[in-house]
Amino acid sequence: MKELNMTIDVILKVDTMELPENCIIILSQRKAKVAERPAFAETKIVTHQG
């Protein structure tokens, strides 16, 4: 996953024209990351709780 830049005020600014056509943005612990996903596949996001 590629990390996205955020401002000092923790504001996320994204130019959607620069992102891959099929992608997800994950926000966690004041960090943002983008991951490209396959065009014709099922994607599952698994989180750990605890």
Side-chain angles (χ1 to χ4, degrees), residues 6-37:
M6 298 180 85
T7 66
I8 295 172
D9 298 328
V10 194
I11 296 173
L12 176 64
K13 294 183 180 182
V14 179
D15 183 357
T16 57
M17 298 303 288
E18 292 183 8
L19 292 174
E21 188 173 330
N22 293 300
C23 68
I24 57 172
I25 296 176
I26 300 171
L27 301 169
S28 178
Q29 298 176 349
R30 296 187 178 186
K31 293 182 182 177
K33 294 185 179 184
V34 64
E36 192 167 355
R37 54 179 294 271

